[in-house]
Amino acid sequence: MASSTDIPAFAAAPTPMMAQYLTLKAEAQDCLLFYRMGDFFELFFDDAKMAAATLDIALTSRGEHGGAPIPMCGVPVHSAEGYLARLIKGGHRVAIAEQTETPAQAKARGGKTLVARAIVRYVTAGTLTEETLLDSRRDNMLVALAQVGGDGSGEIGIAAADISTGRFETMTCAMGDLPAELARLRPSEVVVAEGSGIEVADMHLFDKAAFSSSRAEDALKRLFGVATLDGFGQFGRAELGAMGGLIAYLDHAGKGTLPFLAPPLRKTSGGHVAIDAATRESLEIVSTTAGTRAGSLLGAIDRTVTGAGARLLGQDLSAPLMDLAMIEARLGLVTLFHDDATLRDQLRGALRALPDIGRALGRVAVGRGSPRDLGQLRDGLGEARLLRERLGRIADAPQMLVQLLPALDGHGALVDALARALVPAPPTETAGGGYIADGYDPALDELRRLSSDGRRAIASLEAKYRAQTGIAALKIRHNGVLGYHVEVPARAADQLMQPDSGFTHRQTLAGVVRFNSIDLHEEAGRVAQAGAHALVAEAAHLEELIGAVLDRKADIARAADALARLDVAASLAERAAEGGWQRPHFVSANGADDGAGQCLDIIGGRHPVVEDALRKDGQPFVANDCRLNEGDRLWLVTGPNMGGKSTFLRQNALIVILAQAGGYVPAQAATMTLVDRLFSRVGASDNLARGRSTFMVEMVETAAILAQATERSFVILDEVGRGTSTYDGLALAWAVVEAVHEVNRCRCLFATHYHELTRLAETLSSLSLHHVRAREWKGDLILLHELAQGPADRSYGLAVARLAGLPPAVLKRAKDVLARLEAGKAKTGGIAAGLDDLPLFAAVAAIEEEKVDPLLAAIAAIDADALSPREALDHIYRLKQLAAERRSD
């Protein structure tokens, strides 16, 4: 994108307009500058080239610079939001420069003074509030990152906000956990301090001073009107710095107008299941690898009827809980709606009619609210009050419902005020008025009557002029330039051109001529004056209503959150009822942190996404059990390609996510202990942009699992080692299985085609063998998709190749080669020959690491270019001492 260094230098003094543009462009820096000129936003120079390419609009020119035309393009003001959406999606940031005075005001300042303009707002991916620019069913998160220390290796503070709803949260994490947290938040924009050691893709650098923790604390106190932040939690320096950076960035983007932010919710890294970015992509939790919602877990289970509910469901799936009490509270609410279909249907019907009051409040708070937004708040809060009355009559209500209901009430005075003040369907624009209801303000009603009487008088004048002139086609029209005027066909204009006609010529166009008259001018003046006063009165009432809304913004936000939670619970109940899903049962792991008592016992588990796809084709899904426990915590799964190994692995991971998010699960029964970290290494692809092959990606992901998985984690691994030679791959897979069993000691499903790994069952006590069943019948492979105990008898690779359509000649040749290989394997013992005498992994892992040579370490630590003579001499003496000690050893 363009930056301030791209601003052209003019050989001669630029025109006043271009000088003004260049000043604003210097302020806009790396943003595209929308420069308001009448009814268009214009862009110049490189901004115009980039915008024209992104928007696919014509690139024109204006004037000259250096003997060459100045590139230029523009978009109409009335449809600017659509163009902004495309520019933001294309990765651009936009500064809006509006006219801050009218041409008449500029003229009053003297001569041909240029109309004043100023940047009124920066439009960036993370600071959107307009309905047309946002996805109603997805959060729009702005994230700011700060750190303690300057090398990027210390504690990282994360502040995240969705300014369209006021959601605001903060947490700290280690640098190694940052990618996982960003994957959870899915930010639209990430802001980092200039000079920071933090490296994040597509981050935006911002003023380093804004990330000062002391400055941030003062800003937060002012924002929330408190003397201390203790009521919000105990924030560390990194968190304060991140929050300060975020607030300062929002203040910059809004040119001094801050959006509504709820008090910061402090999250802890251990409060939700840790899921890294690779696992999220592999499991396709909220979007597929292609970036679509359809085909993901979220797409398969989402039955929400409101945008806010859809957004909250995405949050829940992105951060499954580690708090068992909170999980059970969510499940209790889902159970209420699951067991009472009538109640569920009534609730969903009521919620379906609700507007998105959270985002309506966000627009009002940031100064971009409309009468329609106030109408949405009126309707939404009014319906919330009715829901409170209906749901409050439920006997033995679950704990979460009892906690949610108070937030739905208490808005009666505001709702009544909005109901009295606004028309039933308020408009989005205020310029034409008409949004304040009749009877709300007698003075306004009188102004409207005068305006209406004037318009009737003008209609009477039209009839009078027709009769007076005999011109049946005479009409009185109105436009923004001439105001009210008389219009006649050109052929009849001569009569009105006469000096004694009583009409004054105003304009001649092709086919028509326009005139004015004294009577019309007087009536038009009365209409305009009454209409202008009415608009001013309506605007004053609008400001009063907005003030009343903002006085209760925190309470309104809580009501929006409560409605979203009800929608999520009813949605999960609806999905469970559709699919015959069951409530998961959580058990204690005997209070131990060493893995004792950990279990994942799933009876008849199913993959929700695959099952949906098969149902559409009229095919059944084959359910399978997964019964991991302390004595049988690692399952080695073999079988043919397309047999269902990967589906089985993934479905159990998705069941864990659903259960700990507080939902029912696609199984006959599920009993489990809490999972603290979830890892999936199922499938991999090249990351050419970072210079990584498929095998390298696989190894990086596997290394992360071995380094981070604990006894309470759940890991699924598929085809580890397949991207390299047979011997290397088998060796790596063998060692990984042993490490997971002996070191990580977590619950794990490990799918492989290396049948040699089945020999590990003889030495690893908590490993068991399983396979997906398949049969050949008259030369055809029949995949049963059933999981059975024991190893697979063979891989059926040639049969799968036949299904894929390989030529018969190739299959014949492959069969001959396979026969020879198997004959050789029988003679030599195969590639696993010699592994029987392999020492146990635990014994190898216990070997002491090679000692570090202190002399070599001391030499390596010396920065020769930075030494003073005195320091160099000290180092020489130190090295001589180390050398002497080495000889004496």
Side-chain angles (χ1 to χ4, degrees), residues 723-760:
T724 185
S725 71
T726 301
Y727 281 96
D728 284 356
L730 173 59
L732 286 166
W734 187 290
V736 168
V737 171
E738 289 185 323
V740 169
H741 186 277
E742 297 295 317
V743 179
N744 301 103
R745 301 180 66 82
C746 57
R747 290 159 284 183
C748 176
L749 300 176
F750 192 109
T752 185
H753 280 291
Y754 290 125
H755 289 261
E756 293 78 7
L757 293 179
T758 60
R759 299 168 68 170
L760 285 167

mmCIF file of all heavy atoms in Angstrom, residues 723-760:
data_model
loop_
_atom_site.group_PDB
_atom_site.id
_atom_site.type_symbol
_atom_site.label_atom_id
_atom_site.label_comp_id
_atom_site.label_asym_id
_atom_site.label_seq_id
_atom_site.Cartn_x
_atom_site.Cartn_y
_atom_site.Cartn_z
ATOM 1 N N GLY A 723 6.072 -39.164 4.618
ATOM 2 C CA GLY A 723 6.605 -38.264 3.595
ATOM 3 C C GLY A 723 8.071 -38.461 3.289
ATOM 4 O O GLY A 723 8.660 -37.645 2.572
ATOM 5 N N THR A 724 8.695 -39.532 3.794
ATOM 6 C CA THR A 724 10.119 -39.742 3.532
ATOM 7 C C THR A 724 10.321 -41.216 3.163
ATOM 8 O O THR A 724 9.361 -41.947 2.876
ATOM 9 C CB THR A 724 10.948 -39.341 4.769
ATOM 10 O OG1 THR A 724 12.338 -39.440 4.459
ATOM 11 C CG2 THR A 724 10.611 -40.196 5.976
ATOM 12 N N SER A 725 11.577 -41.671 3.170
ATOM 13 C CA SER A 725 11.843 -43.057 2.779
ATOM 14 C C SER A 725 11.190 -44.024 3.778
ATOM 15 O O SER A 725 10.891 -43.664 4.909
ATOM 16 C CB SER A 725 13.346 -43.314 2.744
ATOM 17 O OG SER A 725 13.889 -43.334 4.049
ATOM 18 N N THR A 726 11.000 -45.250 3.333
ATOM 19 C CA THR A 726 10.317 -46.243 4.168
ATOM 20 C C THR A 726 11.034 -46.442 5.492
ATOM 21 O O THR A 726 10.417 -46.466 6.566
ATOM 22 C CB THR A 726 10.208 -47.574 3.420
ATOM 23 O OG1 THR A 726 9.486 -47.346 2.202
ATOM 24 C CG2 THR A 726 9.477 -48.604 4.257
ATOM 25 N N TYR A 727 12.375 -46.596 5.419
ATOM 26 C CA TYR A 727 13.128 -46.859 6.645
ATOM 27 C C TYR A 727 13.088 -45.653 7.585
ATOM 28 O O TYR A 727 12.859 -45.796 8.792
ATOM 29 C CB TYR A 727 14.576 -47.217 6.307
ATOM 30 C CG TYR A 727 14.732 -48.639 5.837
ATOM 31 C CD1 TYR A 727 14.750 -48.946 4.481
ATOM 32 C CD2 TYR A 727 14.848 -49.681 6.757
ATOM 33 C CE1 TYR A 727 14.894 -50.257 4.046
ATOM 34 C CE2 TYR A 727 14.987 -50.996 6.335
ATOM 35 C CZ TYR A 727 15.010 -51.284 4.976
ATOM 36 O OH TYR A 727 15.133 -52.579 4.547
ATOM 37 N N ASP A 728 13.316 -44.435 7.036
ATOM 38 C CA ASP A 728 13.264 -43.233 7.865
ATOM 39 C C ASP A 728 11.876 -43.049 8.472
ATOM 40 O O ASP A 728 11.722 -42.733 9.652
ATOM 41 C CB ASP A 728 13.612 -41.998 7.033
ATOM 42 C CG ASP A 728 15.097 -41.888 6.748
ATOM 43 O OD1 ASP A 728 15.853 -42.731 7.274
ATOM 44 O OD2 ASP A 728 15.494 -40.976 6.012
ATOM 45 N N GLY A 729 10.847 -43.237 7.641
ATOM 46 C CA GLY A 729 9.480 -43.041 8.104
ATOM 47 C C GLY A 729 9.103 -44.004 9.207
ATOM 48 O O GLY A 729 8.497 -43.610 10.218
ATOM 49 N N LEU A 730 9.439 -45.287 9.019
ATOM 50 C CA LEU A 730 9.127 -46.281 10.048
ATOM 51 C C LEU A 730 9.876 -45.974 11.337
ATOM 52 O O LEU A 730 9.319 -46.067 12.434
ATOM 53 C CB LEU A 730 9.476 -47.680 9.550
ATOM 54 C CG LEU A 730 9.343 -48.803 10.593
ATOM 55 C CD1 LEU A 730 7.922 -48.876 11.128
ATOM 56 C CD2 LEU A 730 9.773 -50.133 9.997
ATOM 57 N N ALA A 731 11.152 -45.588 11.203
ATOM 58 C CA ALA A 731 11.956 -45.292 12.397
ATOM 59 C C ALA A 731 11.354 -44.129 13.184
ATOM 60 O O ALA A 731 11.251 -44.172 14.419
ATOM 61 C CB ALA A 731 13.393 -44.975 11.985
ATOM 62 N N LEU A 732 10.941 -43.082 12.460
ATOM 63 C CA LEU A 732 10.352 -41.929 13.135
ATOM 64 C C LEU A 732 9.007 -42.284 13.775
ATOM 65 O O LEU A 732 8.733 -41.908 14.914
ATOM 66 C CB LEU A 732 10.165 -40.781 12.135
ATOM 67 C CG LEU A 732 11.443 -40.055 11.715
ATOM 68 C CD1 LEU A 732 11.193 -39.194 10.489
ATOM 69 C CD2 LEU A 732 11.964 -39.193 12.868
ATOM 70 N N ALA A 733 8.169 -42.993 13.037
ATOM 71 C CA ALA A 733 6.859 -43.378 13.577
ATOM 72 C C ALA A 733 7.031 -44.240 14.816
ATOM 73 O O ALA A 733 6.310 -44.073 15.813
ATOM 74 C CB ALA A 733 6.061 -44.118 12.511
ATOM 75 N N TRP A 734 7.961 -45.170 14.769
ATOM 76 C CA TRP A 734 8.244 -46.054 15.912
ATOM 77 C C TRP A 734 8.628 -45.240 17.142
ATOM 78 O O TRP A 734 8.081 -45.416 18.231
ATOM 79 C CB TRP A 734 9.368 -47.021 15.510
ATOM 80 C CG TRP A 734 9.665 -48.091 16.512
ATOM 81 C CD1 TRP A 734 10.239 -47.956 17.739
ATOM 82 C CD2 TRP A 734 9.418 -49.502 16.358
ATOM 83 N NE1 TRP A 734 10.381 -49.162 18.362
ATOM 84 C CE2 TRP A 734 9.876 -50.141 17.534
ATOM 85 C CE3 TRP A 734 8.867 -50.278 15.336
ATOM 86 C CZ2 TRP A 734 9.804 -51.521 17.715
ATOM 87 C CZ3 TRP A 734 8.796 -51.649 15.521
ATOM 88 C CH2 TRP A 734 9.245 -52.260 16.703
ATOM 89 N N ALA A 735 9.559 -44.285 16.943
ATOM 90 C CA ALA A 735 10.040 -43.482 18.071
ATOM 91 C C ALA A 735 8.949 -42.559 18.603
ATOM 92 O O ALA A 735 8.855 -42.326 19.822
ATOM 93 C CB ALA A 735 11.251 -42.659 17.632
ATOM 94 N N VAL A 736 8.114 -42.029 17.704
ATOM 95 C CA VAL A 736 7.037 -41.140 18.147
ATOM 96 C C VAL A 736 6.025 -41.903 18.988
ATOM 97 O O VAL A 736 5.577 -41.426 20.036
ATOM 98 C CB VAL A 736 6.352 -40.470 16.929
ATOM 99 C CG1 VAL A 736 5.053 -39.782 17.361
ATOM 100 C CG2 VAL A 736 7.295 -39.467 16.281
ATOM 101 N N VAL A 737 5.651 -43.101 18.555
ATOM 102 C CA VAL A 737 4.714 -43.911 19.337
ATOM 103 C C VAL A 737 5.281 -44.166 20.726
ATOM 104 O O VAL A 737 4.577 -44.042 21.746
ATOM 105 C CB VAL A 737 4.411 -45.237 18.626
ATOM 106 C CG1 VAL A 737 3.609 -46.164 19.547
ATOM 107 C CG2 VAL A 737 3.646 -45.000 17.339
ATOM 108 N N GLU A 738 6.557 -44.537 20.785
ATOM 109 C CA GLU A 738 7.170 -44.812 22.093
ATOM 110 C C GLU A 738 7.189 -43.558 22.967
ATOM 111 O O GLU A 738 6.908 -43.625 24.174
ATOM 112 C CB GLU A 738 8.594 -45.325 21.883
ATOM 113 C CG GLU A 738 8.654 -46.732 21.308
ATOM 114 C CD GLU A 738 10.086 -47.243 21.232
ATOM 115 O OE1 GLU A 738 10.989 -46.442 20.929
ATOM 116 O OE2 GLU A 738 10.304 -48.438 21.486
ATOM 117 N N ALA A 739 7.502 -42.397 22.372
ATOM 118 C CA ALA A 739 7.565 -41.155 23.154
ATOM 119 C C ALA A 739 6.186 -40.780 23.698
ATOM 120 O O ALA A 739 6.044 -40.385 24.860
ATOM 121 C CB ALA A 739 8.127 -40.026 22.295
ATOM 122 N N VAL A 740 5.156 -40.893 22.869
ATOM 123 C CA VAL A 740 3.803 -40.582 23.327
ATOM 124 C C VAL A 740 3.408 -41.504 24.477
ATOM 125 O O VAL A 740 2.794 -41.071 25.466
ATOM 126 C CB VAL A 740 2.803 -40.698 22.151
ATOM 127 C CG1 VAL A 740 1.371 -40.633 22.666
ATOM 128 C CG2 VAL A 740 3.047 -39.597 21.134
ATOM 129 N N HIS A 741 3.775 -42.773 24.373
ATOM 130 C CA HIS A 741 3.405 -43.760 25.393
ATOM 131 C C HIS A 741 4.180 -43.570 26.685
ATOM 132 O O HIS A 741 3.618 -43.599 27.786
ATOM 133 C CB HIS A 741 3.634 -45.169 24.846
ATOM 134 C CG HIS A 741 3.158 -46.258 25.749
ATOM 135 N ND1 HIS A 741 3.920 -46.733 26.807
ATOM 136 C CD2 HIS A 741 1.998 -46.971 25.770
ATOM 137 C CE1 HIS A 741 3.252 -47.687 27.422
ATOM 138 N NE2 HIS A 741 2.085 -47.857 26.815
ATOM 139 N N GLU A 742 5.478 -43.347 26.566
ATOM 140 C CA GLU A 742 6.340 -43.337 27.754
ATOM 141 C C GLU A 742 6.530 -41.956 28.375
ATOM 142 O O GLU A 742 6.687 -41.843 29.588
ATOM 143 C CB GLU A 742 7.715 -43.912 27.384
ATOM 144 C CG GLU A 742 7.680 -45.359 26.933
ATOM 145 C CD GLU A 742 7.253 -46.285 28.054
ATOM 146 O OE1 GLU A 742 7.729 -46.098 29.190
ATOM 147 O OE2 GLU A 742 6.426 -47.170 27.810
ATOM 148 N N VAL A 743 6.532 -40.900 27.554
ATOM 149 C CA VAL A 743 6.841 -39.558 28.058
ATOM 150 C C VAL A 743 5.569 -38.722 28.215
ATOM 151 O O VAL A 743 5.263 -38.249 29.303
ATOM 152 C CB VAL A 743 7.839 -38.845 27.126
ATOM 153 C CG1 VAL A 743 8.121 -37.434 27.652
ATOM 154 C CG2 VAL A 743 9.130 -39.642 27.008
ATOM 155 N N ASN A 744 4.824 -38.534 27.138
ATOM 156 C CA ASN A 744 3.621 -37.708 27.209
ATOM 157 C C ASN A 744 2.498 -38.395 27.989
ATOM 158 O O ASN A 744 1.742 -37.744 28.712
ATOM 159 C CB ASN A 744 3.128 -37.361 25.801
ATOM 160 C CG ASN A 744 4.160 -36.614 24.984
ATOM 161 O OD1 ASN A 744 4.801 -37.189 24.113
ATOM 162 N ND2 ASN A 744 4.332 -35.340 25.273
ATOM 163 N N ARG A 745 2.368 -39.704 27.806
ATOM 164 C CA ARG A 745 1.401 -40.518 28.537
ATOM 165 C C ARG A 745 -0.028 -39.972 28.402
ATOM 166 O O ARG A 745 -0.828 -40.023 29.338
ATOM 167 C CB ARG A 745 1.798 -40.629 30.009
ATOM 168 C CG ARG A 745 3.163 -41.239 30.248
ATOM 169 C CD ARG A 745 3.504 -41.328 31.728
ATOM 170 N NE ARG A 745 2.618 -42.260 32.414
ATOM 171 C CZ ARG A 745 2.764 -43.584 32.436
ATOM 172 N NH1 ARG A 745 3.783 -44.152 31.781
ATOM 173 N NH2 ARG A 745 1.907 -44.356 33.090
ATOM 174 N N CYS A 746 -0.350 -39.437 27.230
ATOM 175 C CA CYS A 746 -1.660 -38.858 26.996
ATOM 176 C C CYS A 746 -2.556 -39.847 26.261
ATOM 177 O O CYS A 746 -2.102 -40.882 25.763
ATOM 178 C CB CYS A 746 -1.525 -37.573 26.172
ATOM 179 S SG CYS A 746 -0.687 -37.834 24.593
ATOM 180 N N ARG A 747 -3.830 -39.530 26.198
ATOM 181 C CA ARG A 747 -4.738 -40.314 25.372
ATOM 182 C C ARG A 747 -4.428 -40.034 23.909
ATOM 183 O O ARG A 747 -4.342 -38.861 23.507
ATOM 184 C CB ARG A 747 -6.184 -39.932 25.706
ATOM 185 C CG ARG A 747 -6.640 -40.390 27.080
ATOM 186 C CD ARG A 747 -7.831 -39.597 27.588
ATOM 187 N NE ARG A 747 -7.455 -38.273 28.065
ATOM 188 C CZ ARG A 747 -8.298 -37.411 28.608
ATOM 189 N NH1 ARG A 747 -9.585 -37.723 28.714
ATOM 190 N NH2 ARG A 747 -7.889 -36.237 29.034
ATOM 191 N N CYS A 748 -4.298 -41.080 23.118
ATOM 192 C CA CYS A 748 -3.820 -40.892 21.747
ATOM 193 C C CYS A 748 -4.408 -41.950 20.817
ATOM 194 O O CYS A 748 -4.487 -43.136 21.166
ATOM 195 C CB CYS A 748 -2.286 -40.953 21.701
ATOM 196 S SG CYS A 748 -1.588 -40.848 20.037
ATOM 197 N N LEU A 749 -4.800 -41.501 19.616
ATOM 198 C CA LEU A 749 -5.171 -42.390 18.518
ATOM 199 C C LEU A 749 -4.125 -42.208 17.434
ATOM 200 O O LEU A 749 -3.896 -41.084 16.976
ATOM 201 C CB LEU A 749 -6.562 -42.044 17.980
ATOM 202 C CG LEU A 749 -7.724 -42.150 18.975
ATOM 203 C CD1 LEU A 749 -9.017 -41.678 18.329
ATOM 204 C CD2 LEU A 749 -7.874 -43.574 19.486
ATOM 205 N N PHE A 750 -3.480 -43.317 17.023
ATOM 206 C CA PHE A 750 -2.358 -43.256 16.089
ATOM 207 C C PHE A 750 -2.677 -44.166 14.907
ATOM 208 O O PHE A 750 -2.699 -45.398 15.049
ATOM 209 C CB PHE A 750 -1.073 -43.713 16.793
ATOM 210 C CG PHE A 750 0.193 -43.422 16.040
ATOM 211 C CD1 PHE A 750 1.078 -42.456 16.478
ATOM 212 C CD2 PHE A 750 0.526 -44.138 14.890
ATOM 213 C CE1 PHE A 750 2.265 -42.193 15.790
ATOM 214 C CE2 PHE A 750 1.696 -43.880 14.201
ATOM 215 C CZ PHE A 750 2.561 -42.907 14.651
ATOM 216 N N ALA A 751 -2.971 -43.565 13.748
ATOM 217 C CA ALA A 751 -3.273 -44.347 12.547
ATOM 218 C C ALA A 751 -2.012 -44.475 11.695
ATOM 219 O O ALA A 751 -1.249 -43.510 11.569
ATOM 220 C CB ALA A 751 -4.378 -43.684 11.744
ATOM 221 N N THR A 752 -1.801 -45.654 11.117
ATOM 222 C CA THR A 752 -0.573 -45.875 10.353
ATOM 223 C C THR A 752 -0.762 -46.977 9.325
ATOM 224 O O THR A 752 -1.660 -47.823 9.444
ATOM 225 C CB THR A 752 0.588 -46.235 11.296
ATOM 226 O OG1 THR A 752 1.790 -46.335 10.540
ATOM 227 C CG2 THR A 752 0.330 -47.562 12.000
ATOM 228 N N HIS A 753 0.101 -46.957 8.303
ATOM 229 C CA HIS A 753 0.192 -48.062 7.335
ATOM 230 C C HIS A 753 1.435 -48.905 7.594
ATOM 231 O O HIS A 753 1.672 -49.890 6.895
ATOM 232 C CB HIS A 753 0.235 -47.527 5.906
ATOM 233 C CG HIS A 753 -1.126 -47.161 5.374
ATOM 234 N ND1 HIS A 753 -2.092 -48.089 5.090
ATOM 235 C CD2 HIS A 753 -1.676 -45.948 5.101
ATOM 236 C CE1 HIS A 753 -3.177 -47.477 4.633
ATOM 237 N NE2 HIS A 753 -2.948 -46.184 4.649
ATOM 238 N N TYR A 754 2.250 -48.482 8.573
ATOM 239 C CA TYR A 754 3.421 -49.268 8.932
ATOM 240 C C TYR A 754 2.972 -50.417 9.839
ATOM 241 O O TYR A 754 2.867 -50.280 11.060
ATOM 242 C CB TYR A 754 4.455 -48.404 9.671
ATOM 243 C CG TYR A 754 5.130 -47.367 8.800
ATOM 244 C CD1 TYR A 754 5.116 -46.016 9.171
ATOM 245 C CD2 TYR A 754 5.794 -47.728 7.628
ATOM 246 C CE1 TYR A 754 5.733 -45.065 8.394
ATOM 247 C CE2 TYR A 754 6.410 -46.757 6.840
ATOM 248 C CZ TYR A 754 6.373 -45.443 7.231
ATOM 249 O OH TYR A 754 6.987 -44.493 6.447
ATOM 250 N N HIS A 755 2.704 -51.559 9.256
ATOM 251 C CA HIS A 755 2.222 -52.696 10.045
ATOM 252 C C HIS A 755 3.287 -53.198 11.011
ATOM 253 O O HIS A 755 2.980 -53.879 11.990
ATOM 254 C CB HIS A 755 1.757 -53.818 9.111
ATOM 255 C CG HIS A 755 0.487 -53.495 8.405
ATOM 256 N ND1 HIS A 755 -0.742 -53.954 8.822
ATOM 257 C CD2 HIS A 755 0.243 -52.710 7.325
ATOM 258 C CE1 HIS A 755 -1.678 -53.490 8.018
ATOM 259 N NE2 HIS A 755 -1.102 -52.733 7.102
ATOM 260 N N GLU A 756 4.538 -52.855 10.741
ATOM 261 C CA GLU A 756 5.609 -53.260 11.646
ATOM 262 C C GLU A 756 5.435 -52.662 13.032
ATOM 263 O O GLU A 756 5.938 -53.202 14.031
ATOM 264 C CB GLU A 756 6.967 -52.837 11.063
ATOM 265 C CG GLU A 756 7.362 -53.574 9.791
ATOM 266 C CD GLU A 756 6.650 -53.039 8.544
ATOM 267 O OE1 GLU A 756 5.947 -51.999 8.673
ATOM 268 O OE2 GLU A 756 6.780 -53.636 7.474
ATOM 269 N N LEU A 757 4.720 -51.520 13.118
ATOM 270 C CA LEU A 757 4.517 -50.877 14.414
ATOM 271 C C LEU A 757 3.667 -51.718 15.358
ATOM 272 O O LEU A 757 3.686 -51.505 16.578
ATOM 273 C CB LEU A 757 3.853 -49.509 14.224
ATOM 274 C CG LEU A 757 4.672 -48.417 13.509
ATOM 275 C CD1 LEU A 757 3.853 -47.146 13.388
ATOM 276 C CD2 LEU A 757 5.974 -48.132 14.263
ATOM 277 N N THR A 758 2.926 -52.666 14.808
ATOM 278 C CA THR A 758 2.074 -53.492 15.676
ATOM 279 C C THR A 758 2.905 -54.301 16.660
ATOM 280 O O THR A 758 2.380 -54.751 17.690
ATOM 281 C CB THR A 758 1.194 -54.419 14.833
ATOM 282 O OG1 THR A 758 2.031 -55.281 14.035
ATOM 283 C CG2 THR A 758 0.278 -53.614 13.915
ATOM 284 N N ARG A 759 4.189 -54.472 16.362
ATOM 285 C CA ARG A 759 5.047 -55.226 17.293
ATOM 286 C C ARG A 759 5.259 -54.479 18.598
ATOM 287 O O ARG A 759 5.669 -55.063 19.600
ATOM 288 C CB ARG A 759 6.397 -55.515 16.623
ATOM 289 C CG ARG A 759 6.236 -56.369 15.364
ATOM 290 C CD ARG A 759 7.470 -56.430 14.522
ATOM 291 N NE ARG A 759 8.547 -57.166 15.181
ATOM 292 C CZ ARG A 759 9.680 -57.527 14.563
ATOM 293 N NH1 ARG A 759 9.854 -57.236 13.282
ATOM 294 N NH2 ARG A 759 10.612 -58.180 15.213
ATOM 295 N N LEU A 760 4.962 -53.150 18.593
ATOM 296 C CA LEU A 760 5.115 -52.373 19.821
ATOM 297 C C LEU A 760 4.130 -52.806 20.899
ATOM 298 O O LEU A 760 4.339 -52.530 22.086
ATOM 299 C CB LEU A 760 4.925 -50.874 19.524
ATOM 300 C CG LEU A 760 6.094 -50.178 18.815
ATOM 301 C CD1 LEU A 760 5.667 -48.814 18.292
ATOM 302 C CD2 LEU A 760 7.276 -50.035 19.772
#
